[in-house]
Amino acid sequence: MVSRHLTVVTYTGRRSGRTFSTPVAFRRVADSVTIRVQFPDAKKWWRNFLDEGGPISLHLDGIDRTGHAVATRDEAGRVTVTVRLDG
């Protein structure tokens, strides 16, 4: 059951241009995926998606899906990355 809420995201670093992959917990509703970043100050990957966001790939239902991710930080310091999956 737990694996139904875990995936690997793959993205290209804004500064380095290198490709990175990292495991994350997520929640999916239709073509929208929400990733709540735990301990965001200890992690850097989500910063690639600040402001206008950027492309991302997620492994869902046995296949790789692409989308556009945008990271937001609320007044309490919590970070959420919202991914709009491509058709």
Side-chain angles (χ1 to χ4, degrees):
M1 285 294 217
V2 173
S3 65
R4 293 177 65 194
H5 299 287
L6 295 176
T7 189
V8 174
V9 297
T10 302
Y11 62 94
T12 301
R14 281 187 180 181
R15 285 196 233 163
S16 69
R18 293 176 38 208
T19 300
F20 298 95
S21 296
T22 190
V24 297
F26 73 98
R27 181 172 297 265
R28 180 178 179 185
V29 176
D31 285 336
S32 181
V33 174
T34 302
I35 302 164
R36 291 201 171 98
V37 180
Q38 299 295 315
F39 309 106
D41 293 328
K43 299 172 183 156
K44 297 182 181 178
W45 72 268
W46 58 270
R47 293 179 176 121
N48 287 283
F49 304 103
L50 288 170
D51 302 320
E52 294 180 15
I56 195 168
S57 174
L58 301 93
H59 194 76
L60 300 171
D61 301 326
I63 60 171
D64 289 329
R65 298 281 308 266
T66 58
H68 185 83
V70 176
T72 56
R73 186 172 212 153
D74 67 17
E75 57 281 343
R78 294 178 293 238
V79 173
T80 301
V81 178
T82 303
V83 180
R84 183 176 23 88
L85 295 172
D86 296 334

